[in-house]
Amino acid sequence: MTSYKELGLVNTKEMFAKAVKGGYAIPAYNFNNMEQMQAIVQACVETKSPVILQVSSGARKYANKNLLKNMARGAVEYAHELGYDIPIVLHLDHGDTFELCKDCIESGFSSVMIDGSHLSYEENVALTKKVCDYAHSQKDYVTVEGELGVLAGVEDDVSAEESHYTKPEEVQDFVKKTGVDSLAISIGTSHGRQKFKPSQCTRSADGILIPPPLAFDVLAEIEKKLPGFPIVLHGSSSVPIEYVKEIEKYGGKLDDSVGIPEEQLRKAAKSAVCKINIDSDGRLAMTAAIRKVFAEQPSEFDPRKYLGPARDELKKLYSHKNKEVLGSAGQA
Ligand code: G3H
Ligand code: 13P
Ligand code: ZN
């Protein structure tokens, strides 16, 4: 059993309280490898931003759970070495079983998500409560994120227009019965690079897809029911058209890509939304940089020569997010 405090990590409690009060959101960036971790820490130290390092169950399978745990410890030391100690959370993204959450808590995670959004309301309550009871009874309190409502895309086999928004009338009861520390909601975001079907969008003069707005009315209703309670937005990549074009210029094919416009995320961050999850944009940034090297320098075969530029592009992207979108820069 490793406590997250031994790794130099913090839970989300104080971080979220400050973010809700301050009208900004904490970045939750996924990582699977060293270059992603370096980029996240470099960007967050330079912008003086608190950060949530997110690990999915897929990341644990890909990279090995002990390596990831020790990379999180390394992240704390790396930030210190770079000259500024920022608060760092190690969070399980989309935990789907009690056992997985327990395993993560025992290996040093300071926060877990239990995603029971596919279950019936009663089953979701029961599973989320079980995880909260365990996480909160640890010597060092581990925070828990629950989810109500279903995002379209990878979370479900429903199409985007069938996305099930969170029902504001359920949120108070869910929070009370489970004891969750934060709540992920569905207001129109979804995972991946195709967040809406072209038929749901309009097009700009140059053919770029313009998505429909998020359901800010649903968010406002939820805030009214849970004043000051930390709300989480998944599926919040903006899918920058520059990266899509760059990838396609160098041989990729990413038809009908569309994300959540930055202005809408900025608006959400000023509300009770205090954690914004971003993974796909980082994948696009790295892929664009790597494809460019492969196309322009066909004889290059040193991984550092393409993973290095990918890392630099990722750092640039995350600095931009912290400063211009989430408002977390300067808050550490
Ligand atoms: O929400 C999912 C995250 O983007 C993680 O994706 O399960 O492929 O690691 P993954
Ligand atoms: P994106 O696919 O929009 O980056 O969402 C990531 C996410 O929600 C991770 O949990
Ligand atoms: Zn997610």
Side-chain angles (χ1 to χ4, degrees), residues 29-43 53-54 59 62-63 68 71 78 278-280 282-284 286 307 310-312 314-315 318:
Y29 297 134
N30 290 72
F31 80 100
N32 300 265
N33 68 24
M34 184 189 73
E35 283 77 11
Q36 290 170 323
M37 172 65 95
Q38 289 173 316
I40 296 169
V41 176
Q42 288 170 10
L53 301 171
Q54 292 202 141
Y62 174 80
L68 289 176
M71 281 171 74
Y78 184 40
I278 295 169
D279 188 9
S280 297
R283 297 178 179 194
L284 291 168
M286 294 186 87
L307 293 176
R311 178 180 62 194
D312 295 345
L314 193 57
K315 177 191 168 187
Y318 288 160

PDB file of all heavy atoms in Angstrom, residues 29-43 53-54 59 62-63 68 71 78 278-280 282-284 286 307 310-312 314-315 318:
ATOM      1  N   TYR A  29      -5.000  16.276 -17.870  1.00  0.00           N
ATOM      2  CA  TYR A  29      -4.355  15.792 -19.094  1.00  0.00           C
ATOM      3  C   TYR A  29      -4.007  14.313 -18.937  1.00  0.00           C
ATOM      4  O   TYR A  29      -3.413  13.909 -17.929  1.00  0.00           O
ATOM      5  CB  TYR A  29      -3.068  16.589 -19.364  1.00  0.00           C
ATOM      6  CG  TYR A  29      -3.284  18.082 -19.613  1.00  0.00           C
ATOM      7  CD1 TYR A  29      -2.492  19.039 -18.978  1.00  0.00           C
ATOM      8  CD2 TYR A  29      -4.264  18.529 -20.503  1.00  0.00           C
ATOM      9  CE1 TYR A  29      -2.662  20.398 -19.214  1.00  0.00           C
ATOM     10  CE2 TYR A  29      -4.445  19.892 -20.750  1.00  0.00           C
ATOM     11  CZ  TYR A  29      -3.636  20.817 -20.098  1.00  0.00           C
ATOM     12  OH  TYR A  29      -3.812  22.166 -20.341  1.00  0.00           O
ATOM     13  N   ASN A  30      -4.353  13.516 -19.939  1.00  0.00           N
ATOM     14  CA  ASN A  30      -4.025  12.076 -19.904  1.00  0.00           C
ATOM     15  C   ASN A  30      -2.571  11.854 -20.271  1.00  0.00           C
ATOM     16  O   ASN A  30      -2.011  12.567 -21.109  1.00  0.00           O
ATOM     17  CB  ASN A  30      -4.906  11.312 -20.889  1.00  0.00           C
ATOM     18  CG  ASN A  30      -6.346  11.254 -20.447  1.00  0.00           C
ATOM     19  OD1 ASN A  30      -7.066  12.251 -20.480  1.00  0.00           O
ATOM     20  ND2 ASN A  30      -6.784  10.092 -20.004  1.00  0.00           N
ATOM     21  N   PHE A  31      -1.956  10.857 -19.646  1.00  0.00           N
ATOM     22  CA  PHE A  31      -0.610  10.483 -20.083  1.00  0.00           C
ATOM     23  C   PHE A  31      -0.444   8.970 -20.116  1.00  0.00           C
ATOM     24  O   PHE A  31      -1.100   8.234 -19.375  1.00  0.00           O
ATOM     25  CB  PHE A  31       0.474  11.147 -19.208  1.00  0.00           C
ATOM     26  CG  PHE A  31       0.723  10.469 -17.895  1.00  0.00           C
ATOM     27  CD1 PHE A  31       1.814   9.611 -17.727  1.00  0.00           C
ATOM     28  CD2 PHE A  31      -0.115  10.669 -16.823  1.00  0.00           C
ATOM     29  CE1 PHE A  31       2.060   8.977 -16.517  1.00  0.00           C
ATOM     30  CE2 PHE A  31       0.110  10.035 -15.604  1.00  0.00           C
ATOM     31  CZ  PHE A  31       1.196   9.187 -15.452  1.00  0.00           C
ATOM     32  N   ASN A  32       0.396   8.539 -21.034  1.00  0.00           N
ATOM     33  CA  ASN A  32       0.713   7.113 -21.236  1.00  0.00           C
ATOM     34  C   ASN A  32       2.215   6.885 -21.332  1.00  0.00           C
ATOM     35  O   ASN A  32       2.674   5.757 -21.335  1.00  0.00           O
ATOM     36  CB  ASN A  32       0.136   6.596 -22.566  1.00  0.00           C
ATOM     37  CG  ASN A  32      -1.372   6.719 -22.640  1.00  0.00           C
ATOM     38  OD1 ASN A  32      -2.081   5.788 -22.343  1.00  0.00           O
ATOM     39  ND2 ASN A  32      -1.862   7.871 -23.057  1.00  0.00           N
ATOM     40  N   ASN A  33       2.969   7.975 -21.495  1.00  0.00           N
ATOM     41  CA  ASN A  33       4.406   7.776 -21.706  1.00  0.00           C
ATOM     42  C   ASN A  33       5.221   8.964 -21.198  1.00  0.00           C
ATOM     43  O   ASN A  33       4.652   9.960 -20.735  1.00  0.00           O
ATOM     44  CB  ASN A  33       4.709   7.497 -23.187  1.00  0.00           C
ATOM     45  CG  ASN A  33       4.451   8.712 -24.064  1.00  0.00           C
ATOM     46  OD1 ASN A  33       4.471   9.856 -23.615  1.00  0.00           O
ATOM     47  ND2 ASN A  33       4.205   8.469 -25.338  1.00  0.00           N
ATOM     48  N   MET A  34       6.525   8.848 -21.282  1.00  0.00           N
ATOM     49  CA  MET A  34       7.412   9.853 -20.694  1.00  0.00           C
ATOM     50  C   MET A  34       7.298  11.216 -21.367  1.00  0.00           C
ATOM     51  O   MET A  34       7.285  12.252 -20.698  1.00  0.00           O
ATOM     52  CB  MET A  34       8.860   9.366 -20.769  1.00  0.00           C
ATOM     53  CG  MET A  34       9.827  10.311 -20.090  1.00  0.00           C
ATOM     54  SD  MET A  34      11.538   9.871 -20.399  1.00  0.00           S
ATOM     55  CE  MET A  34      11.737  10.360 -22.108  1.00  0.00           C
ATOM     56  N   GLU A  35       7.213  11.230 -22.691  1.00  0.00           N
ATOM     57  CA  GLU A  35       7.176  12.520 -23.387  1.00  0.00           C
ATOM     58  C   GLU A  35       5.923  13.314 -23.020  1.00  0.00           C
ATOM     59  O   GLU A  35       5.968  14.539 -22.863  1.00  0.00           O
ATOM     60  CB  GLU A  35       7.256  12.320 -24.910  1.00  0.00           C
ATOM     61  CG  GLU A  35       8.652  12.003 -25.434  1.00  0.00           C
ATOM     62  CD  GLU A  35       9.074  10.562 -25.179  1.00  0.00           C
ATOM     63  OE1 GLU A  35       8.222   9.741 -24.781  1.00  0.00           O
ATOM     64  OE2 GLU A  35      10.270  10.264 -25.361  1.00  0.00           O
ATOM     65  N   GLN A  36       4.798  12.609 -22.888  1.00  0.00           N
ATOM     66  CA  GLN A  36       3.568  13.308 -22.490  1.00  0.00           C
ATOM     67  C   GLN A  36       3.718  13.876 -21.086  1.00  0.00           C
ATOM     68  O   GLN A  36       3.336  15.013 -20.815  1.00  0.00           O
ATOM     69  CB  GLN A  36       2.374  12.342 -22.548  1.00  0.00           C
ATOM     70  CG  GLN A  36       1.998  11.959 -23.968  1.00  0.00           C
ATOM     71  CD  GLN A  36       0.989  10.812 -23.992  1.00  0.00           C
ATOM     72  OE1 GLN A  36       1.044   9.894 -23.174  1.00  0.00           O
ATOM     73  NE2 GLN A  36       0.072  10.862 -24.933  1.00  0.00           N
ATOM     74  N   MET A  37       4.283  13.082 -20.206  1.00  0.00           N
ATOM     75  CA  MET A  37       4.493  13.531 -18.823  1.00  0.00           C
ATOM     76  C   MET A  37       5.423  14.750 -18.793  1.00  0.00           C
ATOM     77  O   MET A  37       5.156  15.733 -18.091  1.00  0.00           O
ATOM     78  CB  MET A  37       5.090  12.377 -18.020  1.00  0.00           C
ATOM     79  CG  MET A  37       5.533  12.735 -16.656  1.00  0.00           C
ATOM     80  SD  MET A  37       4.137  13.213 -15.660  1.00  0.00           S
ATOM     81  CE  MET A  37       3.792  11.661 -14.867  1.00  0.00           C
ATOM     82  N   GLN A  38       6.499  14.696 -19.542  1.00  0.00           N
ATOM     83  CA  GLN A  38       7.424  15.832 -19.569  1.00  0.00           C
ATOM     84  C   GLN A  38       6.724  17.103 -20.052  1.00  0.00           C
ATOM     85  O   GLN A  38       6.887  18.181 -19.474  1.00  0.00           O
ATOM     86  CB  GLN A  38       8.618  15.528 -20.482  1.00  0.00           C
ATOM     87  CG  GLN A  38       9.565  14.491 -19.922  1.00  0.00           C
ATOM     88  CD  GLN A  38      10.622  14.101 -20.945  1.00  0.00           C
ATOM     89  OE1 GLN A  38      10.315  13.883 -22.122  1.00  0.00           O
ATOM     90  NE2 GLN A  38      11.862  14.010 -20.504  1.00  0.00           N
ATOM     91  N   ALA A  39       5.951  16.954 -21.125  1.00  0.00           N
ATOM     92  CA  ALA A  39       5.270  18.124 -21.698  1.00  0.00           C
ATOM     93  C   ALA A  39       4.277  18.723 -20.703  1.00  0.00           C
ATOM     94  O   ALA A  39       4.198  19.943 -20.541  1.00  0.00           O
ATOM     95  CB  ALA A  39       4.539  17.719 -22.986  1.00  0.00           C
ATOM     96  N   ILE A  40       3.539  17.855 -20.021  1.00  0.00           N
ATOM     97  CA  ILE A  40       2.536  18.340 -19.058  1.00  0.00           C
ATOM     98  C   ILE A  40       3.237  19.101 -17.932  1.00  0.00           C
ATOM     99  O   ILE A  40       2.850  20.217 -17.576  1.00  0.00           O
ATOM    100  CB  ILE A  40       1.710  17.161 -18.476  1.00  0.00           C
ATOM    101  CG1 ILE A  40       0.893  16.462 -19.569  1.00  0.00           C
ATOM    102  CG2 ILE A  40       0.796  17.665 -17.357  1.00  0.00           C
ATOM    103  CD1 ILE A  40       0.269  15.127 -19.129  1.00  0.00           C
ATOM    104  N   VAL A  41       4.274  18.486 -17.378  1.00  0.00           N
ATOM    105  CA  VAL A  41       4.952  19.127 -16.233  1.00  0.00           C
ATOM    106  C   VAL A  41       5.629  20.429 -16.671  1.00  0.00           C
ATOM    107  O   VAL A  41       5.508  21.460 -16.001  1.00  0.00           O
ATOM    108  CB  VAL A  41       5.953  18.160 -15.564  1.00  0.00           C
ATOM    109  CG1 VAL A  41       6.719  18.854 -14.442  1.00  0.00           C
ATOM    110  CG2 VAL A  41       5.220  16.939 -15.013  1.00  0.00           C
ATOM    111  N   GLN A  42       6.299  20.397 -17.807  1.00  0.00           N
ATOM    112  CA  GLN A  42       6.967  21.624 -18.282  1.00  0.00           C
ATOM    113  C   GLN A  42       5.942  22.749 -18.465  1.00  0.00           C
ATOM    114  O   GLN A  42       6.145  23.881 -18.014  1.00  0.00           O
ATOM    115  CB  GLN A  42       7.674  21.360 -19.611  1.00  0.00           C
ATOM    116  CG  GLN A  42       8.923  20.499 -19.477  1.00  0.00           C
ATOM    117  CD  GLN A  42       9.464  20.064 -20.849  1.00  0.00           C
ATOM    118  OE1 GLN A  42       9.028  20.538 -21.889  1.00  0.00           O
ATOM    119  NE2 GLN A  42      10.422  19.146 -20.841  1.00  0.00           N
ATOM    120  N   ALA A  43       4.834  22.434 -19.128  1.00  0.00           N
ATOM    121  CA  ALA A  43       3.819  23.465 -19.411  1.00  0.00           C
ATOM    122  C   ALA A  43       3.217  23.992 -18.105  1.00  0.00           C
ATOM    123  O   ALA A  43       3.025  25.201 -17.944  1.00  0.00           O
ATOM    124  CB  ALA A  43       2.722  22.899 -20.305  1.00  0.00           C
ATOM    125  N   LEU A  53      -2.954  14.712 -13.399  1.00  0.00           N
ATOM    126  CA  LEU A  53      -2.402  13.731 -14.339  1.00  0.00           C
ATOM    127  C   LEU A  53      -3.380  12.575 -14.389  1.00  0.00           C
ATOM    128  O   LEU A  53      -3.653  11.952 -13.366  1.00  0.00           O
ATOM    129  CB  LEU A  53      -1.044  13.227 -13.837  1.00  0.00           C
ATOM    130  CG  LEU A  53       0.046  14.280 -13.633  1.00  0.00           C
ATOM    131  CD1 LEU A  53       1.246  13.651 -12.931  1.00  0.00           C
ATOM    132  CD2 LEU A  53       0.460  14.872 -14.969  1.00  0.00           C
ATOM    133  N   GLN A  54      -3.905  12.301 -15.572  1.00  0.00           N
ATOM    134  CA  GLN A  54      -4.933  11.268 -15.689  1.00  0.00           C
ATOM    135  C   GLN A  54      -4.403  10.007 -16.326  1.00  0.00           C
ATOM    136  O   GLN A  54      -3.711  10.053 -17.334  1.00  0.00           O
ATOM    137  CB  GLN A  54      -6.074  11.754 -16.585  1.00  0.00           C
ATOM    138  CG  GLN A  54      -6.878  12.859 -16.002  1.00  0.00           C
ATOM    139  CD  GLN A  54      -8.262  12.962 -16.608  1.00  0.00           C
ATOM    140  OE1 GLN A  54      -9.197  13.231 -15.876  1.00  0.00           O
ATOM    141  NE2 GLN A  54      -8.416  12.764 -17.883  1.00  0.00           N
ATOM    142  N   ALA A  59      -4.270   3.091 -20.368  1.00  0.00           N
ATOM    143  CA  ALA A  59      -2.900   3.571 -20.117  1.00  0.00           C
ATOM    144  C   ALA A  59      -2.169   2.627 -19.172  1.00  0.00           C
ATOM    145  O   ALA A  59      -0.987   2.334 -19.348  1.00  0.00           O
ATOM    146  CB  ALA A  59      -2.948   4.974 -19.522  1.00  0.00           C
ATOM    147  N   TYR A  62      -1.151  -0.310 -21.112  1.00  0.00           N
ATOM    148  CA  TYR A  62      -0.104   0.021 -22.088  1.00  0.00           C
ATOM    149  C   TYR A  62       1.260   0.200 -21.427  1.00  0.00           C
ATOM    150  O   TYR A  62       2.273  -0.298 -21.898  1.00  0.00           O
ATOM    151  CB  TYR A  62      -0.496   1.305 -22.835  1.00  0.00           C
ATOM    152  CG  TYR A  62       0.560   1.841 -23.762  1.00  0.00           C
ATOM    153  CD1 TYR A  62       0.748   1.289 -25.025  1.00  0.00           C
ATOM    154  CD2 TYR A  62       1.391   2.900 -23.373  1.00  0.00           C
ATOM    155  CE1 TYR A  62       1.734   1.776 -25.871  1.00  0.00           C
ATOM    156  CE2 TYR A  62       2.372   3.384 -24.208  1.00  0.00           C
ATOM    157  CZ  TYR A  62       2.539   2.825 -25.456  1.00  0.00           C
ATOM    158  OH  TYR A  62       3.516   3.298 -26.293  1.00  0.00           O
ATOM    159  N   ALA A  63       1.247   0.935 -20.300  1.00  0.00           N
ATOM    160  CA  ALA A  63       2.535   1.388 -19.763  1.00  0.00           C
ATOM    161  C   ALA A  63       3.024   0.639 -18.529  1.00  0.00           C
ATOM    162  O   ALA A  63       4.181   0.791 -18.162  1.00  0.00           O
ATOM    163  CB  ALA A  63       2.444   2.875 -19.436  1.00  0.00           C
ATOM    164  N   LEU A  68       3.813   3.850 -14.161  1.00  0.00           N
ATOM    165  CA  LEU A  68       3.010   5.086 -14.142  1.00  0.00           C
ATOM    166  C   LEU A  68       3.045   5.744 -12.768  1.00  0.00           C
ATOM    167  O   LEU A  68       3.197   6.954 -12.642  1.00  0.00           O
ATOM    168  CB  LEU A  68       1.569   4.796 -14.563  1.00  0.00           C
ATOM    169  CG  LEU A  68       1.389   4.453 -16.044  1.00  0.00           C
ATOM    170  CD1 LEU A  68      -0.055   4.097 -16.335  1.00  0.00           C
ATOM    171  CD2 LEU A  68       1.832   5.601 -16.941  1.00  0.00           C
ATOM    172  N   MET A  71       6.245   7.342 -12.344  1.00  0.00           N
ATOM    173  CA  MET A  71       6.345   8.543 -13.180  1.00  0.00           C
ATOM    174  C   MET A  71       5.656   9.723 -12.499  1.00  0.00           C
ATOM    175  O   MET A  71       6.090  10.862 -12.636  1.00  0.00           O
ATOM    176  CB  MET A  71       5.731   8.284 -14.552  1.00  0.00           C
ATOM    177  CG  MET A  71       6.684   7.514 -15.455  1.00  0.00           C
ATOM    178  SD  MET A  71       5.866   6.993 -16.960  1.00  0.00           S
ATOM    179  CE  MET A  71       5.749   8.521 -17.822  1.00  0.00           C
ATOM    180  N   TYR A  78      10.381  16.366 -10.750  1.00  0.00           N
ATOM    181  CA  TYR A  78      10.753  17.102 -11.968  1.00  0.00           C
ATOM    182  C   TYR A  78      10.284  18.557 -11.866  1.00  0.00           C
ATOM    183  O   TYR A  78      11.037  19.489 -12.189  1.00  0.00           O
ATOM    184  CB  TYR A  78      10.120  16.392 -13.175  1.00  0.00           C
ATOM    185  CG  TYR A  78      10.481  16.952 -14.528  1.00  0.00           C
ATOM    186  CD1 TYR A  78      11.778  17.380 -14.835  1.00  0.00           C
ATOM    187  CD2 TYR A  78       9.514  17.026 -15.538  1.00  0.00           C
ATOM    188  CE1 TYR A  78      12.092  17.879 -16.092  1.00  0.00           C
ATOM    189  CE2 TYR A  78       9.815  17.513 -16.796  1.00  0.00           C
ATOM    190  CZ  TYR A  78      11.102  17.941 -17.065  1.00  0.00           C
ATOM    191  OH  TYR A  78      11.402  18.432 -18.309  1.00  0.00           O
ATOM    192  N   ILE A 278      -8.795  16.729 -21.175  1.00  0.00           N
ATOM    193  CA  ILE A 278      -8.290  16.889 -22.545  1.00  0.00           C
ATOM    194  C   ILE A 278      -7.287  15.791 -22.856  1.00  0.00           C
ATOM    195  O   ILE A 278      -6.280  15.646 -22.164  1.00  0.00           O
ATOM    196  CB  ILE A 278      -7.631  18.282 -22.708  1.00  0.00           C
ATOM    197  CG1 ILE A 278      -8.705  19.376 -22.531  1.00  0.00           C
ATOM    198  CG2 ILE A 278      -6.943  18.410 -24.074  1.00  0.00           C
ATOM    199  CD1 ILE A 278      -8.163  20.775 -22.403  1.00  0.00           C
ATOM    200  N   ASP A 279      -7.571  15.017 -23.873  1.00  0.00           N
ATOM    201  CA  ASP A 279      -6.661  13.970 -24.316  1.00  0.00           C
ATOM    202  C   ASP A 279      -6.467  14.029 -25.834  1.00  0.00           C
ATOM    203  O   ASP A 279      -5.337  14.095 -26.334  1.00  0.00           O
ATOM    204  CB  ASP A 279      -7.217  12.595 -23.898  1.00  0.00           C
ATOM    205  CG  ASP A 279      -6.238  11.471 -24.164  1.00  0.00           C
ATOM    206  OD1 ASP A 279      -5.069  11.750 -24.511  1.00  0.00           O
ATOM    207  OD2 ASP A 279      -6.617  10.293 -24.039  1.00  0.00           O
ATOM    208  N   SER A 280      -7.577  14.059 -26.571  1.00  0.00           N
ATOM    209  CA  SER A 280      -7.481  13.989 -28.035  1.00  0.00           C
ATOM    210  C   SER A 280      -6.632  15.106 -28.639  1.00  0.00           C
ATOM    211  O   SER A 280      -5.870  14.868 -29.584  1.00  0.00           O
ATOM    212  CB  SER A 280      -8.881  14.031 -28.663  1.00  0.00           C
ATOM    213  OG  SER A 280      -9.621  12.907 -28.266  1.00  0.00           O
ATOM    214  N   GLY A 282      -4.049  16.511 -27.456  1.00  0.00           N
ATOM    215  CA  GLY A 282      -2.646  16.144 -27.288  1.00  0.00           C
ATOM    216  C   GLY A 282      -2.228  15.088 -28.302  1.00  0.00           C
ATOM    217  O   GLY A 282      -1.122  15.123 -28.851  1.00  0.00           O
ATOM    218  N   ARG A 283      -3.129  14.157 -28.572  1.00  0.00           N
ATOM    219  CA  ARG A 283      -2.826  13.122 -29.574  1.00  0.00           C
ATOM    220  C   ARG A 283      -2.636  13.757 -30.945  1.00  0.00           C
ATOM    221  O   ARG A 283      -1.744  13.380 -31.711  1.00  0.00           O
ATOM    222  CB  ARG A 283      -3.976  12.111 -29.632  1.00  0.00           C
ATOM    223  CG  ARG A 283      -4.182  11.361 -28.336  1.00  0.00           C
ATOM    224  CD  ARG A 283      -5.360  10.408 -28.436  1.00  0.00           C
ATOM    225  NE  ARG A 283      -5.532   9.685 -27.184  1.00  0.00           N
ATOM    226  CZ  ARG A 283      -6.293   8.613 -27.033  1.00  0.00           C
ATOM    227  NH1 ARG A 283      -6.972   8.128 -28.052  1.00  0.00           N
ATOM    228  NH2 ARG A 283      -6.394   8.004 -25.868  1.00  0.00           N
ATOM    229  N   LEU A 284      -3.486  14.739 -31.250  1.00  0.00           N
ATOM    230  CA  LEU A 284      -3.390  15.411 -32.552  1.00  0.00           C
ATOM    231  C   LEU A 284      -2.079  16.189 -32.652  1.00  0.00           C
ATOM    232  O   LEU A 284      -1.393  16.147 -33.680  1.00  0.00           O
ATOM    233  CB  LEU A 284      -4.578  16.357 -32.747  1.00  0.00           C
ATOM    234  CG  LEU A 284      -5.943  15.687 -32.932  1.00  0.00           C
ATOM    235  CD1 LEU A 284      -7.067  16.709 -32.809  1.00  0.00           C
ATOM    236  CD2 LEU A 284      -6.027  14.971 -34.281  1.00  0.00           C
ATOM    237  N   MET A 286       0.778  15.700 -31.117  1.00  0.00           N
ATOM    238  CA  MET A 286       1.936  14.803 -31.261  1.00  0.00           C
ATOM    239  C   MET A 286       1.977  14.172 -32.652  1.00  0.00           C
ATOM    240  O   MET A 286       3.037  14.077 -33.286  1.00  0.00           O
ATOM    241  CB  MET A 286       1.900  13.707 -30.193  1.00  0.00           C
ATOM    242  CG  MET A 286       2.086  14.246 -28.790  1.00  0.00           C
ATOM    243  SD  MET A 286       2.225  12.939 -27.556  1.00  0.00           S
ATOM    244  CE  MET A 286       3.980  12.579 -27.600  1.00  0.00           C
ATOM    245  N   LEU A 307      10.048  12.166 -31.385  1.00  0.00           N
ATOM    246  CA  LEU A 307       9.312  12.304 -30.123  1.00  0.00           C
ATOM    247  C   LEU A 307       9.638  13.646 -29.440  1.00  0.00           C
ATOM    248  O   LEU A 307       8.798  14.220 -28.754  1.00  0.00           O
ATOM    249  CB  LEU A 307       9.643  11.143 -29.180  1.00  0.00           C
ATOM    250  CG  LEU A 307       9.145   9.778 -29.663  1.00  0.00           C
ATOM    251  CD1 LEU A 307       9.597   8.670 -28.713  1.00  0.00           C
ATOM    252  CD2 LEU A 307       7.625   9.769 -29.799  1.00  0.00           C
ATOM    253  N   ALA A 310       7.457  16.266 -30.972  1.00  0.00           N
ATOM    254  CA  ALA A 310       6.081  15.981 -30.525  1.00  0.00           C
ATOM    255  C   ALA A 310       5.882  16.493 -29.100  1.00  0.00           C
ATOM    256  O   ALA A 310       4.863  17.107 -28.770  1.00  0.00           O
ATOM    257  CB  ALA A 310       5.810  14.486 -30.598  1.00  0.00           C
ATOM    258  N   ARG A 311       6.858  16.253 -28.263  1.00  0.00           N
ATOM    259  CA  ARG A 311       6.809  16.725 -26.870  1.00  0.00           C
ATOM    260  C   ARG A 311       6.750  18.259 -26.822  1.00  0.00           C
ATOM    261  O   ARG A 311       5.968  18.834 -26.063  1.00  0.00           O
ATOM    262  CB  ARG A 311       8.053  16.217 -26.151  1.00  0.00           C
ATOM    263  CG  ARG A 311       8.194  16.633 -24.722  1.00  0.00           C
ATOM    264  CD  ARG A 311       9.467  16.071 -24.129  1.00  0.00           C
ATOM    265  NE  ARG A 311      10.654  16.577 -24.808  1.00  0.00           N
ATOM    266  CZ  ARG A 311      11.874  16.048 -24.673  1.00  0.00           C
ATOM    267  NH1 ARG A 311      12.060  14.991 -23.911  1.00  0.00           N
ATOM    268  NH2 ARG A 311      12.901  16.564 -25.301  1.00  0.00           N
ATOM    269  N   ASP A 312       7.558  18.912 -27.670  1.00  0.00           N
ATOM    270  CA  ASP A 312       7.576  20.378 -27.674  1.00  0.00           C
ATOM    271  C   ASP A 312       6.234  20.951 -28.115  1.00  0.00           C
ATOM    272  O   ASP A 312       5.754  21.946 -27.575  1.00  0.00           O
ATOM    273  CB  ASP A 312       8.688  20.904 -28.598  1.00  0.00           C
ATOM    274  CG  ASP A 312      10.074  20.526 -28.084  1.00  0.00           C
ATOM    275  OD1 ASP A 312      10.174  20.120 -26.901  1.00  0.00           O
ATOM    276  OD2 ASP A 312      11.045  20.609 -28.863  1.00  0.00           O
ATOM    277  N   LEU A 314       3.355  19.499 -27.819  1.00  0.00           N
ATOM    278  CA  LEU A 314       2.396  19.212 -26.749  1.00  0.00           C
ATOM    279  C   LEU A 314       2.517  20.245 -25.623  1.00  0.00           C
ATOM    280  O   LEU A 314       1.515  20.745 -25.101  1.00  0.00           O
ATOM    281  CB  LEU A 314       2.661  17.802 -26.210  1.00  0.00           C
ATOM    282  CG  LEU A 314       1.606  17.188 -25.316  1.00  0.00           C
ATOM    283  CD1 LEU A 314       0.262  17.144 -26.012  1.00  0.00           C
ATOM    284  CD2 LEU A 314       2.015  15.758 -24.920  1.00  0.00           C
ATOM    285  N   LYS A 315       3.740  20.550 -25.278  1.00  0.00           N
ATOM    286  CA  LYS A 315       3.966  21.552 -24.231  1.00  0.00           C
ATOM    287  C   LYS A 315       3.359  22.906 -24.649  1.00  0.00           C
ATOM    288  O   LYS A 315       2.699  23.576 -23.851  1.00  0.00           O
ATOM    289  CB  LYS A 315       5.463  21.706 -23.981  1.00  0.00           C
ATOM    290  CG  LYS A 315       5.771  22.778 -22.975  1.00  0.00           C
ATOM    291  CD  LYS A 315       7.237  23.121 -22.927  1.00  0.00           C
ATOM    292  CE  LYS A 315       7.430  24.392 -22.132  1.00  0.00           C
ATOM    293  NZ  LYS A 315       8.815  24.865 -22.190  1.00  0.00           N
ATOM    294  N   TYR A 318      -0.439  22.744 -24.309  1.00  0.00           N
ATOM    295  CA  TYR A 318      -0.935  22.759 -22.930  1.00  0.00           C
ATOM    296  C   TYR A 318      -0.706  24.112 -22.252  1.00  0.00           C
ATOM    297  O   TYR A 318      -1.529  24.546 -21.440  1.00  0.00           O
ATOM    298  CB  TYR A 318      -0.303  21.608 -22.127  1.00  0.00           C
ATOM    299  CG  TYR A 318      -0.855  20.240 -22.520  1.00  0.00           C
ATOM    300  CD1 TYR A 318      -0.166  19.072 -22.250  1.00  0.00           C
ATOM    301  CD2 TYR A 318      -2.083  20.132 -23.166  1.00  0.00           C
ATOM    302  CE1 TYR A 318      -0.678  17.818 -22.601  1.00  0.00           C
ATOM    303  CE2 TYR A 318      -2.594  18.889 -23.526  1.00  0.00           C
ATOM    304  CZ  TYR A 318      -1.888  17.744 -23.242  1.00  0.00           C
ATOM    305  OH  TYR A 318      -2.406  16.513 -23.593  1.00  0.00           O
TER     306      TYR A 318
END
